[in-house]
């Protein structure tokens, strides 16, 4: 397996040590050994090549341990390699360059001139060149988009917003940039960022639920990012909410998407107020100001979203749900309805799930693409 740790061939044990220190470090040798269930000598053997190659650093000595020996923490050197993450939307490209801990170093955005594959690959190539600049080239490029992409496969089977089918995007970008490239579903990529560097750190099982143009769900169960057969997991958008509810654009009556997507909310508010010019943001502002019809529609959306979250939690038994997406700001006006639905639909034997609201930016999705690419380069297809 080609490693993101250039020049360092990783054994399974070295991968485990590196990831533990990357996500949870700095850690003392004793703490790292305890967390990984290793003997001190085994930990020393595994960390030696990583220290020699500069991917691990010895931190300043901390407090002395019980036997009087100094405790010298180990940490990953985040500057040792750079990553580039790209998020493709229907009409724009968002990109970031990060270090190994996904801290953003630079960012940019570009409009997409078309959905033609060659045009988008050219745009990506130019963006990668600009983000690399005169310094060290990134070790890997990650690309996230709405669709059935999965990081172990360079082909995008479907991407509805871009109108793509069976596009070998990973190979095309790798050829254009000369950099290994990973392509992944955008919700799974964002979930990976939360798993390693966000609200999911330290949680064995959690979900990321996104609300925007559609609804998505990424899952981490037993410390593993879940991928299903046919690259499909977390397909919650058409979950049935009410059999006499509104129709979504696919003709499903009363599904979650028909209630809670930004497009459905905008259609409902603009239609009932006879104001076709309203944007989703304008509808949200009306609801926040207390406009009765807008408020009711957002409360219906909140109830649908609460039911989705409860159902996901009931099925998986997870500890945490992170709520994000480009329409997540609506939580401010429908929190009571969301909370009531979450409580009503949570199984009576279950402990109520923790819910964290994650403010949304497209650059955060691009950062997720960088993280999922890093996971694949370190862990391979089992990431």
């Amino acid at each position: 397996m080609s490693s993101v740790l250039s020049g360092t061939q990783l054994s399974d044990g070295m991968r485990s040590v590196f990831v533990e220190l990357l996500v949870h470090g700095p850690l003392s040798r004793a703490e790292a050994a305890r967390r990984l269930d290793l003997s001190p000598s085994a930990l020393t053997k595994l960390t030696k090549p990583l220290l020699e190659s500069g991917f691990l650093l010895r931190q300043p000595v901390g407090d002395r341990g019980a036997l009087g020996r100094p405790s010298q923490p180990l940490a990953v050197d985040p500057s040792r390699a750079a990553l580039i993450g790209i998020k493709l939307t229907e009409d724009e490209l968002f990109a970031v360059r990060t270090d190994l801990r996904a801290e953003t170093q630079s960012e940019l955005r570009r409009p997409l001139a078309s959905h033609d594959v060659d045009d988008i690959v050219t745009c990506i190539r130019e963006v990668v060149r600009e983000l690399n600049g005169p310094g060290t080239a990134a070790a890997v490029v990650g690309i996230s988009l709405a669709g059935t992409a999965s990081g172990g496969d360079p082909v995008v089977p479907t991407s509805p917003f871009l109108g793509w089918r069976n596009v070998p995007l990973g190979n095309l970008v790798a050829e254009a940039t000369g950099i290994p490239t990973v392509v992944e579903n955008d919700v799974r990529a964002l979930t990976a960022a939360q798993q390693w560097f966000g609200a999911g750190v330290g949680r064995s099982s959690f979900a990321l639920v996104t609300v925007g143009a559609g609804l998505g769900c990424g899952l981490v169960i037993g410390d593993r990012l879940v991928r299903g057969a046919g690259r499909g997991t977390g397909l919650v958008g058409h979950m049935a909410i009410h059999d006499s509810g509104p129709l979504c654009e696919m003709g499903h009556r009363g599904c979650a998407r028909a209630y809670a997507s930004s497009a459905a909310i905008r259609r409902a508010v603009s239609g009932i107020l006879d104001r076709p010019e309203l944007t989703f943001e304008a509808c949200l502002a009306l609801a926040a100001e207390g406009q009765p019809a807008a408020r009711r529609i957002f409360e219906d959306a909140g109830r649908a979203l609460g039911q989705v979250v409860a159902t996901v939690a009931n099925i998986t038994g997870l500890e945490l749900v992170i709520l994000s997406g480009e329409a997540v700001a609506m939580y401010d006006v429908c929190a009571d309805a969301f909370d009531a639905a979450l409580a009503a639909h949570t199984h009576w034997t279950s402990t109520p799930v923790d819910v964290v609201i994650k403010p949304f930016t497209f650059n955060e999705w691009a950062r997720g693409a960088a993280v999922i690419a890093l996971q694949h380069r370190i862990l391979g297809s089992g990431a």
Side-chain angles (χ1 to χ4, degrees):
M1 182 196 74
S2 178
S3 170
V4 70
L5 307 180
S6 178
T8 304
Q9 190 63 34
L10 294 182
S11 67
D12 289 344
M14 290 168 64
R15 287 189 185 93
S16 297
V17 170
F18 183 83
V19 170
E20 193 70 23
L21 291 168
L22 179 68
V23 175
H24 300 287
L27 297 174
S28 69
R29 291 174 180 270
E31 176 64 10
R34 185 192 67 78
R35 294 176 68 101
L36 293 165
D37 195 22
L38 295 171
S39 68
S41 60
L43 182 74
T44 297
K45 181 179 179 180
L46 292 170
T47 57
K48 182 179 179 181
L50 294 169
L51 285 162
E52 290 175 345
S53 62
F55 281 96
L56 293 186
L57 298 174
R58 296 180 179 90
Q59 299 292 290
V61 175
D63 296 334
R64 291 182 177 271
L67 299 178
R69 294 182 178 180
S71 176
Q72 188 173 44
L74 298 176
V76 170
D77 179 1
S79 68
R80 191 63 174 75
L83 318 168
I84 289 177
I86 294 170
K87 159 67 174 167
L88 295 175
T89 71
E90 187 174 9
D91 50 14
E92 284 190 276
L93 176 156
F94 298 82
V96 297
R97 179 183 169 108
T98 80
D99 64 15
L100 278 175
R101 285 190 51 81
E103 292 293 332
T104 299
Q105 300 169 333
S106 55
E107 58 189 49
L108 53 81
R109 62 192 291 182
R110 294 286 185 272
L112 296 180
S114 76
H115 292 169
D116 179 79
V117 175
D118 290 340
D119 287 347
I120 290 180
V121 171
T122 297
C123 184
I124 291 172
R125 183 185 66 213
E126 293 170 352
V127 162
V128 169
R129 183 184 298 126
E130 183 172 343
L131 287 174
N132 273 333
T136 303
V140 64
V141 173
I143 301 172
S144 75
L145 71 170
T148 54
S150 181
D153 188 341
V155 176
V156 178
T158 60
S159 181
F161 291 136
L162 296 173
W164 287 355
R165 283 189 175 274
N166 298 319
V167 173
L169 185 65
N171 290 338
L172 293 173
V173 171
E175 291 169 5
T177 62
I179 301 173
T181 300
V182 172
V183 184
E184 182 62 270
N185 168 267
D186 53 357
V187 176
R188 272 198 298 271
L190 187 58
T191 305
Q194 293 302 306
Q195 179 188 20
W196 274 19
F197 305 114
V201 173
R203 303 278 192 153
S204 175
S205 300
F206 72 91
L208 171 80
V209 174
T210 60
V211 56
L215 276 75
C217 179
L219 292 169
V220 171
I221 303 294
D223 295 315
R224 294 182 66 86
L225 184 64
V226 176
R227 291 181 174 84
R231 305 179 179 90
T233 53
L235 303 177
V236 298
H238 298 291
M239 182 184 296
I241 301 297
H242 199 290
D243 59 11
S244 62
L247 287 171
C248 76
E249 66 273 26
M250 299 293 293
H252 301 142
R253 183 167 295 282
C255 67
R257 187 176 177 123
Y259 281 103
S261 72
S262 54
I265 291 170
R266 190 204 67 79
R267 284 195 303 270
V269 174
S270 62
I272 201 167
L273 297 180
D274 194 24
R275 295 182 59 185
E277 80 284 359
L278 288 176
T279 63
F280 172 80
E281 291 73 20
C283 296
L284 180 58
L286 287 172
E289 293 164 3
Q291 206 287 330
R295 190 85 186 189
R296 177 181 59 78
I297 289 166
F298 273 94
E299 288 174 351
D300 287 346
R303 279 187 283 271
L305 197 56
Q307 183 173 336
V308 168
V309 169
T311 302
V312 170
N314 289 341
I315 292 170
T316 60
L318 46 79
E319 309 166 46
L320 169 75
V321 171
I322 304 165
L323 198 59
S324 189
E326 60 264 41
V328 74
M330 75 178 189
Y331 180 82
D332 290 341
V333 300
C334 66
D336 289 345
F338 173 91
D339 291 344
L342 177 61
H345 291 280
T346 295
H347 193 273
W348 65 274
T349 63
S350 299
T351 301
V353 67
D354 291 336
V355 178
V356 172
I357 309 302
K358 176 72 176 177
F360 171 84
T361 68
F362 275 115
N363 281 344
E364 186 69 13
W365 291 67
R367 181 172 170 264
V371 175
I372 198 74
L374 175 63
Q375 287 192 353
H376 274 277
R377 294 290 286 168
I378 294 175
L379 302 176
S381 60

